[in-house]
Amino acid sequence: NIVPVNLPSSPTVSNISSSGSYQEDLYSVNNVLDNRMDEVGYPNPDFWIAPNHIDGWIRLGLDDTYFISEIRLLNTNNGGVGDRGAGKVTIELYDKDNSITFKDTIKVDDFPNWTSLKINPALPANNVKIQLTIGKLNGTGLNEIKIIGVKKVP
């Protein structure tokens, strides 16, 4: 008999929220999911930056329960300006009852290097929160977020 296997993939993000954006129409939090990673700045930036001089956060709501095995982050340098980017991040996974199932703080590498947080064993989550601390002069932000996991089998 062939047994179906859930292979790790990118869970579907059903909603995204944040602490706010510097110039929302340009540096929207939705940019962290756009698969554009070349740090193109104004007038069509591909990254998110939080309002000036604050520690920002992003919350990603998933469409179902996933067992998360890895979170990948790509920092920003504000389109080459170099005055924004994450220093450290605290990553929290929440289950369907909004209880924390995982929490860890890591340093985020400078753009263009990806930072990866492996979660072993994989843990259940319905949403992911990323709390950023200011790592550069004027504020914080991220270019891209990738979540790796498998859907919960009913």
Side-chain angles (χ1 to χ4, degrees):
N1 288 346
I2 297 175
V3 178
V5 176
N6 283 334
L7 297 175
S9 63
S10 293
T12 302
V13 174
S14 58
N15 62 70
I16 185 170
S17 59
S18 75
S19 54
S21 299
Y22 173 78
Q23 296 182 358
E24 179 66 41
D25 57 328
L26 290 175
Y27 303 101
S28 167
V29 71
N30 293 312
N31 291 347
V32 300
L33 300 175
D34 66 4
N35 290 312
R36 294 172 49 224
M37 297 164 253
D38 50 8
E39 275 292 292
V40 171
Y42 183 84
N44 189 22
D46 65 338
F47 48 90
W48 168 76
I49 52 179
N52 287 337
H53 308 291
I54 70 160
D55 291 341
W57 58 264
I58 296 172
R59 191 159 187 147
L60 303 156
L62 308 179
D63 70 333
D64 202 345
T65 299
Y66 289 83
F67 282 82
I68 306 300
S69 58
E70 185 178 4
I71 307 282
R72 297 177 188 157
L73 304 173
L74 182 62
N75 214 342
T76 184
N77 68 4
N78 193 15
V81 177
D83 66 339
R84 298 181 193 261
K88 290 184 179 179
V89 297
T90 298
I91 296 174
E92 299 171 343
L93 303 182
Y94 291 84
D95 64 15
K96 63 181 174 30
D97 297 321
N98 210 30
S99 297
I100 293 178
T101 61
F102 176 85
K103 182 176 182 176
D104 197 6
T105 300
I106 59 172
K107 181 189 176 302
V108 183
D109 292 335
D110 288 337
F111 182 86
N113 299 313
W114 283 86
T115 301
S116 177
L117 174 64
K118 304 263 188 194
I119 303 169
N120 189 7
L123 295 171
N126 288 74
N127 58 77
V128 176
K129 183 176 181 184
I130 301 169
Q131 175 72 46
L132 297 86
T133 58
I134 295 173
K136 302 284 176 122
L137 301 171
N138 290 325
T140 191
L142 285 173
N143 184 303
E144 203 73 21
I145 299 171
K146 299 288 184 195
I147 302 170
I148 308 300
V150 294
K151 200 171 219 181
K152 176 183 158 185
V153 177

